[in-house]
């Protein structure tokens, strides 16, 4: 059961953080209980989330109205996936959802876990059940800490349609006809496509892109860009995929009618000649690399949005430094929002933890998701709950960010020598949160920001461990043309141009 798993994880955390002598202050009166759906997953992220709940939430928030659903593979298998259906129903009813990363088991995992059958990703059921419109993914920024983009980058990924819901079948030679039959029985069917397949082996694929909710996506996108003071771009491949034209047309019509003047008045179209600009998806992949100043937003179809936001994450530092928020709505228009981290369950750290090795998992993405879900629950409640929870979330974010700024971050940000383990970092944030909520002055040793932690080395990233340093050295020698052990400006310019990374003189972007 979820309770048993929580007790087991609590035992792990108690043993791991026993060395900490800093007592976490508990609020004498906890914040009002609000309806919220909490979906738990597994592995390292589930363990870290249990610590976050223990040290950040339980001392200050009444969670008696929270509904907890266990979407571990074992729980889904044992219930025949009824737990997923229950979680979707609860999310539609409550409107505010926090989801830990979950595992969609591979064939090998189905066998190793002893599951009855393969389990699909829960995301499709959630997007359908919550009338998903868009998945908002934004860069996370910590004042005083340099990451990838200097200013915020916003992204809207159409939450439905595209390849993810495709039907397919492997077929041989023959004729393939796709026919549409209208719901109106008085209307005649029509052939969407007809073609002759001449190869012995073919894969026939069909999918569609719903358009009814694109207007809602556009409204959400433009309003968010305006609030964040960033320049909007709409991304498609409509020059080749003509069926993507309506996505652009809907955005353009809404922008011109409702938002253009506001963006002009804010000076946010100075680099786009006073118009909403369309970007071909190929160009967007290059601009994301080049526009490191940030200050832009993009809206795209489902698949393009998935790929491009992965690129945004890598430029900014890693998937742990961008948010992921599914936005849907009830039949009467009440917003449903589900918040989760953009990364997976971090299985390698979990296995290290099980081996008894120290780990240092950075929970920033999950923390932002938890804060987002809590804030949305308060917004749905309204009244005094909004101000009360805004103060709590503000204090938690301040405690989290300051812990990084003070050089007490996880290993990926502060290095092994100064950085903290998973348990000690989460405990330190909880301790600092308690002091902020109690309005006490932070008197921790070394609390002034240390400049050396303001620009974490890329060599601290876990991804750096996978880099072939011998090949890196060979590349360096290729561009160190005079062999003096350093790269001059001229050599650097040649390298950037050859690698296709040189910034262009274009004025149509941030």
């Amino acid at each position: 059961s979820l309770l048993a798993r929580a007790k087991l994880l609590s035992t792990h955390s108690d043993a791991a953080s026993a060395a900490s002598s800093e007592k976490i202050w508990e609020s004498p009166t906890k914040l009002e209980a609000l309806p919220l759906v909490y979906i738990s997953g597994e592995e390292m992220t589930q363990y870290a989330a249990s610590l976050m709940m223990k040290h950040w939430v339980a001392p200050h928030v009444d969670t008696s109205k929270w509904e907890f659903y266990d979407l571990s593979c074992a729980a889904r298998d044992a219930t025949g996936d009824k737990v997923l259906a229950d979680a979707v129903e609860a999310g539609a009813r409550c409107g505010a959802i926090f989801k830990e990363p979950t595992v969609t088991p591979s064939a090998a995992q189905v066998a190793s876990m002893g599951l009855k059958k393969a389990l699909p990703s829960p995301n499709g059921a959630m997007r359908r059940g919550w009338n998903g419109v868009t998945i908002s993914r934004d860069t996370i920024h910590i004042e005083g800490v340099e990451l990838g983009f200097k200013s915020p980058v916003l992204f809207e990924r159409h939450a439905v349609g595209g390849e993810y819901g495709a039907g397919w079948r492997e077929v041989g030679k023959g004729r393939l006809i796709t026919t549409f039959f209208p719901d109106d029985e008085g209307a005649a069917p029509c052939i969407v496509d007809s073609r002759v397949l001449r190869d012995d082996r073919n894969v026939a694929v069909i999918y569609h892109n719903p358009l009814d909710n694109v207007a809602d996506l556009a409204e959400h996108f433009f309003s968010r860009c305006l609030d964040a003071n960033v320049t909007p771009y709409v991304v498609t491949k409509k020059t080749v995929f003509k069926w993507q034209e309506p996505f652009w047309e809907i955005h353009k019509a809404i922008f011109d009618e409702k938002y253009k003047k506001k963006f002009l008045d804010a000076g946010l179209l100075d680099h786009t000649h006073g118009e909403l600009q369309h970007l071909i998806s190929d160009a967007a992949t290059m601009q994301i690399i080049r526009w490191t100043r940030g200050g832009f937003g993009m809206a795209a179809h489902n698949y393009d949005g998935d790929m491009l936001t992965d690129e945004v994450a890598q430029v900014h530092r890693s998937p742990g430094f961008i948010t992921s928020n599914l936005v849907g709505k009830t039949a009467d228009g009440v917003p449903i929002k589900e918040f989760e981290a953009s990364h997976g369950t971090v299985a390698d750290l979990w296995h290290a933890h099980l081996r008894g090795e120290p780990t240092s998992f950075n929970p920033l993405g999950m923390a932002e998701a938890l804060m987002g879900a809590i804030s949305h629950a308060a917004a749905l409640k309204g009244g005094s709950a909004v101000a009360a929870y805004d103060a709590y979330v503000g204090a938690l974010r301040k405690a989290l960010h300051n812990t990084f700024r003070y050089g007490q971050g996880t290993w990926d940000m502060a290095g092994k020598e100064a950085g903290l383990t998973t348990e000690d970092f989460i405990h330190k944030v909880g301790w600092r949160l308690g002091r902020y909520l109690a309005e006490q002055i932070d008197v921790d040793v070394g609390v002034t920001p240390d400049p050396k932690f303001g620009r974490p080395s890329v060599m601290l990233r876990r991804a750096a461990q996978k880099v072939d340093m011998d090949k890196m050295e060979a590349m360096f020698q290729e561009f160190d043309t005079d062999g003096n052990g350093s790269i001059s400006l001229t050599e650097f310019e040649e390298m950037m141009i050859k690698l296709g990374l040189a910034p262009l003189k274009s004025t149509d972007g941030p």
Side-chain angles (χ1 to χ4, degrees):
S1 70
L2 181 58
L3 179 59
R5 294 171 67 213
K7 288 180 178 178
L8 174 62
L9 292 167
S10 178
T11 301
H12 282 310
S13 67
D14 288 342
S17 60
S20 176
S21 60
E22 296 170 335
K23 182 175 174 57
I24 293 178
W25 180 82
E26 296 189 20
S27 300
T29 303
K30 293 187 178 183
L31 290 172
E32 171 190 3
L34 300 176
L36 184 148
V37 170
Y38 187 111
I39 296 174
S40 64
E42 46 200 316
E43 299 188 324
M44 193 66 194
T45 45
Q46 208 285 314
Y47 170 57
S50 72
L51 299 179
M52 291 160 54
M53 287 292 292
K54 176 181 178 180
H55 296 307
W56 301 355
V57 178
H60 313 293
V61 178
D62 181 350
T63 61
S64 60
K65 291 186 178 180
W66 289 23
E67 298 183 31
F68 294 86
Y69 295 88
D70 179 3
L71 286 196
S72 65
C73 290
R76 293 180 64 189
D77 186 69
T79 64
D81 234 4
K82 183 177 184 301
V83 65
L84 173 58
D86 292 344
V88 170
E89 183 280 326
R93 177 168 32 83
C94 294
I97 306 105
F98 168 72
K99 176 180 172 290
E100 297 173 8
T102 54
V103 170
T104 300
S106 64
Q109 287 174 312
V110 169
S112 65
M113 293 180 181
L115 305 179
K116 299 183 187 72
K117 61 179 181 179
L119 295 168
S121 167
N123 293 338
M126 292 174 178
R127 292 169 193 172
R128 291 189 298 271
W130 300 330
N131 298 314
V133 174
T134 181
I135 302 168
S136 302
R137 288 184 171 173
D138 305 341
T139 53
I140 300 171
H141 297 263
I142 302 171
E143 184 179 355
V145 177
E146 184 176 332
L147 297 171
F149 293 101
K150 303 297 186 295
S151 300
V153 173
L154 277 57
F155 213 108
E156 298 298 339
R157 168 191 168 192
H158 198 194
V160 293
E163 294 87 334
Y164 300 94
W168 66 278
R169 176 168 292 185
E170 185 171 336
V171 296
K173 290 181 179 180
R175 188 179 178 203
L176 179 66
I177 300 174
T178 305
T179 305
F180 170 69
F181 295 86
D183 278 349
D184 181 358
E185 296 182 357
C190 66
I191 293 176
V192 176
D193 181 76
S194 176
R195 64 185 62 205
V196 176
L197 308 182
R198 305 188 186 282
D199 288 359
D200 291 329
R201 292 186 68 189
N202 307 273
V203 174
V205 182
I206 184 168
Y207 60 84
H208 75 292
N209 277 325
L211 295 175
D212 287 356
N213 65 6
V214 174
D216 290 335
L217 186 159
E219 293 273 9
H220 184 70
F221 175 52
F222 295 134
S223 63
R224 289 210 317 124
C225 286
L226 200 58
D227 289 343
N229 204 41
V230 303
T231 301
Y233 296 83
V234 177
V235 180
T236 77
K237 184 85 169 179
K238 67 187 183 73
T239 51
V240 178
F241 302 144
K242 302 301 182 184
W243 49 268
Q244 292 190 355
E245 185 74 36
F247 187 85
W248 159 252
E249 291 174 344
I250 294 169
H251 277 83
K252 184 71 164 63
I254 289 175
F255 181 84
D256 287 347
E257 179 185 354
K258 298 183 179 181
Y259 292 94
K260 183 175 181 178
K261 185 178 185 306
K262 296 176 182 178
F263 276 91
L264 285 170
D265 291 345
L268 294 173
L269 303 181
D270 293 348
H271 295 294
T272 59
H273 312 292
E275 299 289 342
L276 174 66
Q277 184 160 329
H278 173 267
L279 279 179
I280 299 298
S281 53
D282 308 61
T285 63
M286 294 305 300
Q287 303 299 31
I288 286 171
I289 296 173
R290 292 173 173 145
W291 291 348
T292 53
R293 285 180 303 221
F296 64 90
M298 292 183 179
H301 283 95
N302 199 350
Y303 180 78
D304 282 348
D306 193 4
M307 298 300 102
L308 292 172
T309 51
D310 283 348
E311 185 182 9
V312 168
Q314 292 307 318
V315 172
H316 197 50
R317 193 169 180 90
S318 78
F321 290 82
I322 65 170
T323 63
S324 185
N325 171 21
L326 172 64
V327 179
K329 63 179 183 179
T330 63
D332 54 356
V334 177
I336 299 172
K337 294 186 179 182
E338 177 255 348
F339 299 81
E340 62 181 312
S342 290
H343 54 72
T345 56
V346 199
D348 57 338
L349 288 188
W350 177 239
H351 294 150
H353 173 77
L354 293 178
R355 291 192 298 267
E357 300 170 12
T359 64
S360 187
F361 168 70
N362 186 337
L364 181 62
M366 284 209 305
E368 283 293 338
L370 182 59
M371 289 186 285
I374 289 172
S375 293
H376 184 56
L380 291 175
K381 174 69 174 179
S384 60
V386 176
Y389 273 93
D390 278 352
Y392 165 75
V393 167
L396 176 52
R397 184 173 283 112
K398 178 183 175 183
L400 183 66
H401 289 190
N402 278 351
T403 303
F404 282 115
R405 293 170 64 234
Y406 298 160
Q408 300 165 338
T410 43
W411 295 347
D412 63 320
M413 297 289 282
K416 272 196 172 184
E417 185 175 340
L420 303 180
T421 63
T422 303
E423 297 81 9
D424 287 344
F425 176 78
I426 293 175
H427 189 279
K428 176 66 77 173
V429 172
W431 173 82
R432 190 163 272 125
L433 168 63
R435 297 187 72 82
Y436 291 164
L437 291 175
E439 298 182 340
Q440 298 181 29
I441 298 174
D442 191 338
V443 293
D444 190 19
V445 176
V447 294
T448 56
D450 190 331
K452 73 180 181 182
F453 297 109
R455 189 176 184 181
S457 169
V458 296
M459 300 306 293
L460 296 176
R461 303 183 191 183
R462 294 172 60 227
Q465 300 170 14
K466 303 176 182 178
V467 174
D468 187 326
M469 291 302 176
D470 291 336
K471 291 182 180 179
M472 286 281 286
E473 183 178 355
M475 289 181 66
F476 176 84
Q477 292 172 352
E478 176 187 350
F479 294 109
D480 178 18
T481 55
D482 56 12
N484 68 348
S486 64
I487 293 180
S488 67
L489 177 59
T490 299
E491 292 168 333
F492 177 73
E493 292 168 345
E494 291 178 356
M495 178 184 74
M496 293 292 284
I497 292 171
K498 183 174 181 178
L499 296 177
L501 299 176
L504 304 181
K505 295 179 179 179
S506 171
T507 58
D508 63 353

